[in-house]
Amino acid sequence: MTLPKTVEEASVVEHVWLSNQVRKLVLYAPQIAKEAVSGQFVHLRVADQIDPLLRRPISLSSADAIDGKISLIYRVVGHGTERLSRLSFGEIVDCLGPLGQGFALDAVRPLLIGGGMGIAPLVFLAECLRPAPIEILLGGRTKEELFWTEIFKDNCEQLHITTDDGTLGTKGVTLDILPELLQHGKFDRIYVCGPRPMMEGAAKIAKEFGITCQVSLEAHMACGVGACLSCTCAGKNGKRHKICSDGPVFWAEEVF
Ligand code: FES
């Protein structure tokens, strides 16, 4: 079991909108920033929050051990994230973390694939994989969802985009162009984070090409530290995994 290393009273240093539903929250949390690796998450509770009582797990989009800041990119979708979205400069957040198992960083020629809010942890991953030559494949419904291109532009060699409606990049979904990318690239690792069908599909294609693949799973979480079993998923051979502490990052063959 992965135990929480730190519960930190983190203060808000920046909180900006990236789209009409997505915000970037930067917190001063020096202990967590020092320990975090890409793929991990924090479990947040607004300090004065009574309702809802549960924390919210949010993946790390960056952690800087030098300036002590971590950043989180999240979509405002319910009561908890709506309350989070009202935090202003200097307010305090109860921040538990860093939690979970991160990505393996030994790739020589990585391809990062992200869809929806699954793109958020890939920002940190791309930073950590540098100076490896990174290519990134992002998918969204429409170009308004792909503000991410600006975020990634300095941290990759090539960015490939798909949108469902064709308003940016190739019309279609990420899996439509993945086989062609793998034919022409010399990738030795695929990292995928996004909707489950996308991750399953990418893992299957990666296997066909003989490329190792890591996926980052999402789940509703209560404790976040492997104690309550609210986040388990089925693995191979009847084994069950706790997404919060065995993951959220898994080798594809462990879970698909
Ligand atoms: Fe409690 Fe994973 S959230 S075991």
Side-chain angles (χ1 to χ4, degrees), residues 69-100:
K69 293 177 188 169
I70 59 173
S71 71
L72 315 167
I73 299 176
Y74 67 96
R75 189 190 300 277
V76 183
V77 283
H79 189 79
T81 47
E82 194 281 325
R83 173 66 187 93
L84 197 63
S85 76
R86 286 189 273 120
L87 284 174
S88 53
F89 181 83
E91 280 195 81
I92 298 296
V93 186
D94 182 313
C95 194
L96 174 66
L99 300 175

Side-chain angles (χ1 to χ4, degrees), residues 109 135 160 177-187 209:
R109 185 119 181 84
E135 293 193 33
H160 311 274
I177 66 169
L178 181 57
E180 193 186 332
L181 284 182
L182 297 187
Q183 264 159 20
H184 298 300
K186 291 188 168 48
F187 303 107
F209 280 82

Side-chain angles (χ1 to χ4, degrees), residues 15-25 58 61 72-77 81 84-85 116-120 123 141 144-148 151:
H15 202 181
V16 294
W17 288 100
L18 299 179
S19 78
N20 59 4
Q21 281 189 311
V22 177
R23 295 206 84 171
K24 177 182 174 186
L25 175 65
I58 303 184
S61 291
L72 315 167
I73 299 176
Y74 67 96
R75 189 190 300 277
V76 183
V77 283
T81 47
L84 197 63
S85 76
M117 290 310 296
I119 297 169
V123 178
R141 281 174 295 188
E144 280 73 34
E145 286 188 6
L146 290 174
F147 50 85
W148 302 99
I151 294 173

Side-chain angles (χ1 to χ4, degrees), residues 35-233:
E35 296 169 4
V37 297
S38 67
Q40 289 187 300
F41 66 96
V42 290
H43 218 15
L44 291 186
R45 181 165 55 210
V46 179
D48 64 351
Q49 190 176 350
I50 297 169
D51 176 29
L53 289 170
L54 290 182
R55 293 174 177 273
R56 289 290 175 282
I58 303 184
S59 58
L60 288 158
S61 291
S62 74
D64 189 328
I66 294 171
D67 69 11
K69 293 177 188 169
I70 59 173
S71 71
L72 315 167
I73 299 176
Y74 67 96
R75 189 190 300 277
V76 183
V77 283
H79 189 79
T81 47
E82 194 281 325
R83 173 66 187 93
L84 197 63
S85 76
R86 286 189 273 120
L87 284 174
S88 53
F89 181 83
E91 280 195 81
I92 298 296
V93 186
D94 182 313
C95 194
L96 174 66
L99 300 175
Q101 310 300 323
F103 292 105
L105 298 176
D106 56 341
V108 176
R109 185 119 181 84
L111 174 66
L112 281 53
I113 308 173
M117 290 310 296
I119 297 169
L122 300 183
V123 178
F124 192 12
L125 177 61
E127 275 175 23
C128 294
L129 287 170
R130 288 306 241 170
I134 298 169
E135 293 193 33
I136 299 177
L137 169 57
L138 301 180
R141 281 174 295 188
T142 183
K143 75 172 180 188
E144 280 73 34
E145 286 188 6
L146 290 174
F147 50 85
W148 302 99
T149 54
E150 196 55 28
I151 294 173
F152 279 109
K153 73 177 187 334
D154 296 328
N155 253 343
C156 69
E157 254 62 45
Q158 226 179 323
L159 200 51
H160 311 274
I161 306 285
T162 65
T163 47
D164 295 356
D165 62 3
T167 48
L168 190 67
T170 305
K171 188 172 192 294
V173 297
T174 52
L175 297 182
D176 294 341
I177 66 169
L178 181 57
E180 193 186 332
L181 284 182
L182 297 187
Q183 264 159 20
H184 298 300
K186 291 188 168 48
F187 303 107
D188 67 333
R189 171 76 46 76
I190 295 176
Y191 299 95
V192 201
C193 192
R196 192 175 174 102
M198 188 195 88
M199 291 195 285
E200 283 188 3
K204 186 164 171 278
I205 296 168
K207 192 173 179 186
E208 286 164 10
F209 280 82
I211 300 172
T212 59
C213 178
Q214 286 202 310
V215 297
S216 179
L217 302 187
E218 278 196 345
H220 291 291
M221 293 181 189
C223 72
V225 294
C228 73
L229 304 182
S230 69
C231 67
T232 62
C233 71

